[in-house]
Amino acid sequence: MISSRSFSADAEPRSFSAAPVSHDSSTVASPPWLLDTLFRNLSYDLEQVADVIDPILTAQNHCHRTDWYVQGIVSDERAFLSTNINGDRAIQVTLCGTRWLLGQSDRCTVALPLPGVADCHAALNFEPGPGFFLTDLATVGGTWVNGRRLDPAQRHSLQDGDLIKLGSLRFEFLQQHCDQPVWDLD
């Protein structure tokens, strides 16, 4: 176990213990693995990495209501998340996928060790056509989007800037579509 600082949307940081970052497909990568994960997500395509790095590094600047965010990034119909929800506020990036769990459990892709957050609180999903959506996993405290409580197992389509509340944590959902430039070699 490594020691890190805890976080709260409304309080000063405090101490907690966190499991070290591993590199299986269900976990989040943190620097120095950030670039390695981006290259893996984008099939080692330098142009695609260059297209997504700026939105990842500047996501915090797009938060208007909280300091915390989860950003859904789409590049060539592949999706992954970046977030700063951790004790160090470091940028973390998930591997590409279509479903990420949010909650206190170390089985969750985005770990949220805060009061009122269930072990597996919500699922964030991606489908190429409809985009990102959030589902409450029948939690006591519920999952809230823009002040509206979601019914358990209800899929809620997310929009850029949506305010999400899980337990005592409030964060913004950001979306970034990074289309690879088309080069005409003729």
Side-chain angles (χ1 to χ4, degrees):
M1 302 283 275
I2 58 173
S3 180
S4 184
R5 294 181 324 164
S6 181
F7 52 92
S8 168
D10 303 313
E12 290 298 312
R14 61 186 192 278
S15 294
F16 77 96
S17 293
V21 175
S22 65
H23 295 287
D24 66 39
S25 64
S26 67
T27 59
V28 179
S30 180
W33 304 285
L34 178 67
L35 283 176
D36 179 55
T37 304
L38 287 177
F39 276 112
R40 288 176 60 195
N41 281 346
L42 302 170
S43 302
Y44 297 90
D45 184 324
L46 184 58
E47 290 177 20
Q48 283 188 322
V49 171
D51 287 343
V52 302
I53 195 73
D54 186 57
I56 290 170
L57 295 176
T58 61
Q60 178 68 47
N61 299 339
H62 300 284
C63 290
H64 300 291
R65 297 180 278 181
T66 71
D67 290 334
W68 309 107
Y69 66 87
V70 171
Q71 179 183 42
I73 299 172
V74 180
S75 181
D76 281 348
E77 307 229 353
R78 290 177 290 190
F80 59 94
L81 306 177
S82 75
T83 184
N84 71 340
I85 302 175
N86 60 73
D88 298 325
R89 292 188 185 216
I91 297 169
Q92 297 177 322
V93 174
T94 67
L95 292 174
C96 283
T98 58
R99 181 179 170 116
W100 304 271
L101 292 176
L102 311 172
Q104 285 206 30
S105 172
D106 59 0
R107 296 177 312 216
C108 293
T109 309
V110 179
L112 308 169
L114 289 168
V117 176
D119 283 349
C120 291
H121 198 105
L124 182 58
N125 296 281
F126 173 77
E127 292 178 6
F132 291 94
F133 58 92
L134 188 66
T135 306
D136 178 70
L137 300 177
T139 59
V140 173
T143 299
W144 302 73
V145 178
N146 298 326
R148 190 177 129 240
R149 186 176 180 154
L150 303 182
D151 291 329
Q154 171 192 358
R155 287 174 42 149
H156 179 84
S157 181
L158 292 175
Q159 304 299 316
D160 187 54
D162 280 347
L163 183 64
I164 298 170
K165 183 175 182 280
L166 308 175
S168 63
L169 175 66
R170 292 178 27 195
F171 63 91
E172 291 182 56
F173 178 76
L174 307 174
Q175 287 190 67
Q176 183 67 42
H177 291 269
C178 301
D179 298 321
Q180 185 177 10
V182 177
W183 295 94
D184 186 7
L185 300 175
D186 291 337

